[in-house]
Amino acid sequence: MEEQRLIVTASPHIRDNSTTRGLMGNVVIALVPCIVAAAFIFGMRALLVTGVTVAACVGFEYLYTLLLKKPNPVGDLSAVVTGIILAMNLPVNMPLWICVVGAFIAIVVIKQLFGGIGCNFANPALIGRIALFLGFATRMTDYVYPDVAVDALATATPLAADSGAVSLVDMFLGLHGGMMGEVCTLAILLGLAYLLATRTIGFAIPGSILITMFVLTFAVTGDLHSTLVEMMGGGLLFGAVFMATDYVTSPFTTKGRIIYGIAIGLLTFVIRNFSSMNEGMSFAILLGNLLTPWFNAWSHQIPLGRTKARKAVSKKGGAA
């Protein structure tokens, strides 16, 4: 039999040994420093909240696919990642039943009802967080503060407090109020380093988000201390590393990813500075997710040898 040398298939044409389970496993490992930091800073209840959200996400995914007689995707670890990210976006004293509500919205409403993994229009954990923020705003802003936190942060998050009174060391180590996963900059950076080292994500998205926010904030404030407080507060780092980089809801070209990151950074800056919200990162990522199809279409590569079609020129008064 003659050897088949030409194989015509659909993209992608460049393949490797990566699997969904392997990639999601890397994200779980990268999230471990945030989980450990949350438990150290806020106590063992952080592990309870994380365990409940993960169990709820996995359970809802299993029950949904079982009832609809679909293949069970629990083994790919995507539901585990959604559960951990959702937990890291909650305050440690969040009632457990509300955690379950957020898991239901993330897995059933946003992920499975839209076709399962690869078909969701936005990051499931992100929508779960936004839904809880809109439905349980008081609970979502009822922060618990570490006993070692500075007095200046006793009644406000770092973004709401006087930035001059905020210690950069406390911000870096997570000794302030906020969502469990967003407070410790050191833990987030360790997770980012692992994701970059294993090539699970690239630097284009988090880098463009952070550079955009830094440039805009420093241009307005003119103060490096205030700028660094903005960079380390309000979930900016956690969102840039673990939420904006979602494979399904982010552009697939480098050019598109850079534009996507700049757009998220710009939107976050606008929301923080021209609205009543101090955070803004979640809504900026959501808008970026919704614009991703346009970023993909606008930044796609031109096939080799293709020339741009010329527009037909109509002649006035000419013969038909």
Side-chain angles (χ1 to χ4, degrees):
M1 183 180 293
E2 185 177 350
E3 182 181 358
Q4 186 177 8
R5 297 182 180 275
L6 178 62
I7 301 175
V8 180
T9 61
S11 62
H13 303 293
I14 301 176
R15 302 173 183 268
D16 58 22
N17 295 323
S18 298
T19 63
T20 301
R21 181 183 177 87
L23 294 173
M24 293 298 103
N26 285 339
V27 178
V28 171
I29 295 173
L31 284 164
V32 168
C34 293
I35 299 172
V36 173
F40 180 79
I41 295 168
F42 297 109
M44 289 298 104
R45 196 176 193 279
L47 299 181
L48 176 62
V49 172
T50 303
V52 168
T53 55
V54 171
C57 286
V58 172
F60 283 133
E61 183 156 86
Y62 175 78
L63 291 175
Y64 182 92
T65 54
L66 179 66
L67 291 174
L68 272 69
K69 299 181 180 180
K70 292 184 175 183
N72 181 10
V74 170
D76 64 17
L77 299 180
S78 60
V80 175
V81 170
T82 298
I84 297 176
I85 293 178
L86 178 60
M88 294 296 102
N89 277 277
L90 301 176
V92 71
N93 58 339
M94 176 65 73
L96 298 181
W97 69 270
I98 297 181
C99 299
V100 175
V101 171
F104 177 84
I105 295 172
I107 294 297
V108 177
V109 178
I110 301 302
K111 182 179 180 182
Q112 290 300 333
L113 288 181
F114 282 89
I117 187 170
C119 300
N120 45 285
F121 70 94
N123 187 304
L126 173 69
I127 300 298
R129 182 198 190 282
I130 291 176
L132 295 184
F133 180 80
L134 296 176
F136 306 95
T138 302
R139 292 287 192 179
M140 286 290 286
T141 55
D142 184 17
Y143 302 125
V144 172
Y145 299 87
D147 294 335
V148 291
V150 294
D151 294 337
L153 301 183
T155 58
T157 60
L159 294 184
D162 179 10
S163 59
V166 178
S167 167
L168 293 180
V169 174
D170 288 341
M171 293 287 294
F172 186 74
L173 297 179
L175 305 181
H176 60 88
M179 305 300 182
M180 292 194 299
E182 72 181 28
V183 294
C184 185
T185 300
L186 174 61
I188 299 171
L189 293 179
L190 289 175
L192 173 62
Y194 179 82
L195 292 176
L196 293 176
T198 57
R199 297 185 178 181
T200 304
I201 66 171
F203 190 68
I205 292 176
S208 55
I209 292 174
L210 298 177
I211 291 173
T212 300
M213 268 297 296
F214 182 89
V215 171
L216 292 175
T217 304
F218 186 76
V220 170
T221 63
D223 179 62
L224 182 60
H225 185 278
S226 299
T227 302
L228 292 177
V229 170
E230 287 280 342
M231 297 295 294
M232 291 189 285
L236 177 67
L237 280 172
F238 187 86
V241 174
F242 293 107
M243 301 174 75
T245 53
D246 177 49
Y247 288 122
V248 179
T249 57
S250 60
F252 51 74
T253 66
T254 301
K255 181 180 179 181
R257 290 170 182 168
I258 293 175
I259 299 172
Y260 168 80
I262 293 174
I264 291 176
L266 177 61
L267 288 168
T268 303
F269 174 80
V270 171
I271 293 172
R272 285 186 177 186
N273 289 273
F274 300 97
S275 73
S276 59
M277 290 188 294
N278 292 319
E279 206 261 24
M281 184 62 175
S282 296
F283 292 96
I285 296 176
L286 174 58
L287 291 172
N289 289 168
L290 297 176
L291 291 173
T292 289
W294 182 84
F295 293 141
N296 284 331
W298 189 78
S299 62
H300 69 85
Q301 294 179 332
I302 299 175
L304 181 64
R306 179 179 176 181
T307 57
K308 189 175 180 181
R310 296 181 179 179
K311 294 182 180 179
V313 180
S314 61
K315 297 181 180 179
K316 293 184 179 180

